[in-house]
Amino acid sequence: MYPFTFHNPTRILFGQGRIAELANEIPAGQKVLLTYGQGSIKKNGIFDQVAAALDGYEWSTFGGIEPNPTYETLMKAVEKIRLEKFDFLLAVGGGSVIDGTKFIAAAVNFAGDPWDILTKRAPITTALPFGSVLTLPATGSEMNNGSVITHKATQTKLPFMHPLVFPKFSILDPTTTFSLPAGQVANGVVDAFVHTVEQYLTYPVDAKVQDRFAEGLLLTLIEDGPQALSDPENEAVRANMMWSATLALNGLIGAGVPQDWATHMIGHEITALYGLDHAQTLAIVLPSVLQSQKEQKKEKLLQYAERVWGISTGSEDTRIDKAIRKTREFFEQMGIKTRLSDYGLDATIVPKLVDQLEQHGMIKLGERRTVTLEVSRQILEMSV
Ligand code: NZQ
Ligand code: ZN
């Protein structure tokens, strides 16, 4: 196991009815800006629950944050905050709203163009405090310090991370997810699955706890993911999905182990250019990454085959191929297609995507930095 520092300051309030406790989490007297997406919270009653819990605070709203939140929209919130002087942000929604709120929090007091935070890793020295009410288990944004923002004008989607943008608290009420459309439930399961895989399917460093923990998350997602689709109001199933997604990317399973992230970085380019959902891109790219990096990932792929899919007979090659096939079948079972061609895209897009990767410095990806632009090109060609 590699040396690591692990610190996660986000307080989690998990369970049905916890939104009512908001006032215990936001200091009295703070002027609060509630940020949200494109209106789902107004239809499913979550907005009303939050509004009731904010009784006694001075508060206002900023809506319209889109899936794959854009710099252009978020800067409007920044202007509003600078003008009206809010002290605390409350993100109510999925990963996009929470990621967007992290950017807003960091941008408000940033001197210069806040887009530099993404392109130039410009240092952030202050951020507004914020909390979240999660409505879509997927990204882990509710308990991490990462955020992914899109610049619409340049079709650029880039991540940033900073210790100042951990949420102060996140409320995870599994019943808020009952209203999710099936496609978003599936997206969430696939995203959490791929987060786990990107920190687990690398090479062994004798990190038994992280490995067993990751395998537990994968098995839970495989068992309960399909049930979340077939039995959508099953609170126990939703609770398992919600907590798995949070734990998949809150730093715990990634501490002290090598990490991959090639699938995510390639996937971000597909979303930026062609608008596919984040999880759709992962379902397309991951099987090809595993196939392409079979040698580099051999030991962990064999472990994954045995412990997650129960595959223990046959040659090493056969076991690995079967595990990759099972992974693809699982995504398809969740209703997420796994080929670029399923989304009307063909091999002609590959050079454009490789160009984008180059422009964004994504030229040596993967845990061993073996995913060069040439390898990414092959991975994309295999994904058609
Ligand atoms: O905008 P509203 O109206 O709220 O509707 C949303 C949106 O259309 C809807 N939705 C959310 N909760 C709902 C609901 N509909 C009904 N009932 C509910 N309870 O679902 C749609 C998708 O929402 P979005 O927030 O975009 O999805 P997700 O949580 O999957 O977030 C995706 C974004 O997170 C980034 C992705 O790149 C993408 O931009 N990621 C963030 C990460 C992080 N911060 O660590 C890591 C991830 O790998 C990922 O890159
Ligand atoms: Zn993801």
Side-chain angles (χ1 to χ4, degrees):
M1 200 187 302
Y2 296 142
F4 64 86
T5 301
F6 178 66
H7 175 71
N8 192 312
T10 303
R11 200 170 137 86
I12 297 292
L13 284 76
F14 193 99
Q16 185 170 7
R18 305 300 300 273
I19 293 174
E21 294 173 46
L22 259 176
N24 299 337
E25 304 303 318
I26 305 176
Q30 299 266 287
K31 185 171 170 183
V32 180
L33 183 67
L34 185 167
T35 53
Y36 66 98
Q38 303 204 304
S40 68
I41 64 164
K42 296 254 170 113
K43 295 185 202 123
N44 57 18
I46 298 171
F47 180 82
D48 294 338
Q49 284 185 56
V50 172
L54 286 176
D55 190 31
Y57 290 90
E58 187 184 348
W59 64 282
S60 181
T61 61
F62 180 85
I65 298 178
E66 53 282 83
N68 308 306
T70 67
Y71 165 81
E72 287 85 347
T73 299
L74 301 170
M75 286 308 288
K76 293 185 186 147
V78 169
E79 274 168 41
K80 180 177 168 82
I81 296 165
R82 285 176 179 162
L83 270 173
E84 298 173 37
K85 309 277 180 236
F86 291 89
D87 309 300
F88 200 99
L89 309 179
L90 179 64
V92 185
S96 293
V97 172
I98 303 175
D99 280 10
T101 304
K102 289 175 178 176
F103 178 75
I104 296 167
V108 166
N109 292 315
F110 185 83
D113 182 355
W115 183 243
D116 290 350
I117 296 169
L118 292 121
T119 50
K120 300 185 184 155
R121 292 172 195 256
I124 302 164
T125 50
T126 134
L128 281 188
F130 70 97
S132 87
V133 174
L134 179 69
T135 66
L136 197 177
T139 63
S141 190
E142 65 280 6
M143 200 181 180
N144 70 33
N145 64 348
S147 163
V148 192
I149 306 299
T150 298
H151 202 302
K152 204 161 41 177
T154 58
Q155 290 186 303
T156 307
K157 183 173 184 181
L158 291 174
F160 81 99
M161 293 177 89
H162 199 280
L164 287 170
V165 297
F166 274 106
K168 297 287 171 212
F169 65 85
S170 285
I171 298 183
L172 277 56
D173 175 344
T175 64
T176 61
T177 68
F178 286 172
S179 59
L180 280 168
Q184 294 299 345
V185 174
N187 277 348
V189 169
V190 169
D191 196 19
F193 192 95
V194 179
H195 292 159
T196 309
V197 165
E198 299 239 54
Q199 299 162 91
Y200 164 73
L201 264 182
T202 56
Y203 54 86
V205 290
D206 205 19
K208 293 191 179 176
V209 177
Q210 293 90 324
D211 277 8
R212 294 287 188 189
F213 210 119
E215 287 151 5
L217 294 175
L218 295 174
L219 287 166
T220 305
L221 292 163
I222 291 166
E223 276 168 30
D224 279 20
Q227 247 192 294
L229 292 178
S230 61
D231 187 9
E233 302 228 342
N234 184 328
E235 192 187 336
V237 166
R238 296 298 198 156
N240 284 323
M241 290 303 90
M242 208 167 212
W243 195 222
S244 306
T246 303
L247 290 170
L249 199 54
N250 73 344
L252 193 60
I253 63 167
V257 300
Q259 302 191 11
D260 181 345
W261 302 112
T263 298
H264 268 74
M265 295 309 125
I266 299 172
H268 286 167
E269 303 299 356
I270 303 177
T271 299
L273 288 189
Y274 303 103
L276 270 62
D277 289 352
H278 173 61
Q280 293 172 331
T281 70
L282 306 178
I284 293 167
V285 178
L286 181 75
S288 305
V289 166
L290 297 181
Q291 198 67 43
S292 145
Q293 299 298 294
K294 223 154 107 161
E295 270 314 305
Q296 292 85 341
K297 294 178 182 291
K298 187 170 171 178
E299 285 165 281
K300 292 302 279 287
L301 273 167
L302 289 167
Q303 179 178 323
Y304 169 68
E306 179 166 1
R307 294 192 191 168
V308 176
W309 295 110
I311 303 164
S312 52
T313 55
S315 70
E316 287 185 344
D317 235 29
T318 311
R319 278 180 274 157
I320 289 174
D321 285 346
K322 209 165 162 187
I324 298 174
R325 200 165 60 241
K326 284 276 190 190
T327 307
R328 185 187 294 280
E329 282 168 10
F330 173 60
F331 298 158
E332 297 268 352
Q333 181 193 2
M334 290 303 299
I336 310 269
K337 297 283 183 211
T338 60
R339 297 274 176 200
L340 284 168
S341 51
D342 294 322
Y343 301 88
L345 300 170
D346 61 29
T348 58
I349 68 166
V350 174
K352 284 187 216 153
L353 290 167
V354 175
D355 269 3
Q356 293 274 109
L357 284 166
E358 185 170 17
Q359 273 177 42
H360 301 143
M362 307 291 172
I363 53 174
K364 279 185 184 170
L365 300 172
E367 66 276 13
R368 291 188 198 274
R369 326 234 342 118
T370 47
V371 183
T372 57
L373 288 177
E374 175 54 22
V375 176
S376 288
R377 189 183 60 72
Q378 290 162 11
I379 287 168
L380 285 162
E381 280 169 356
M382 286 159 73
S383 306
V384 177

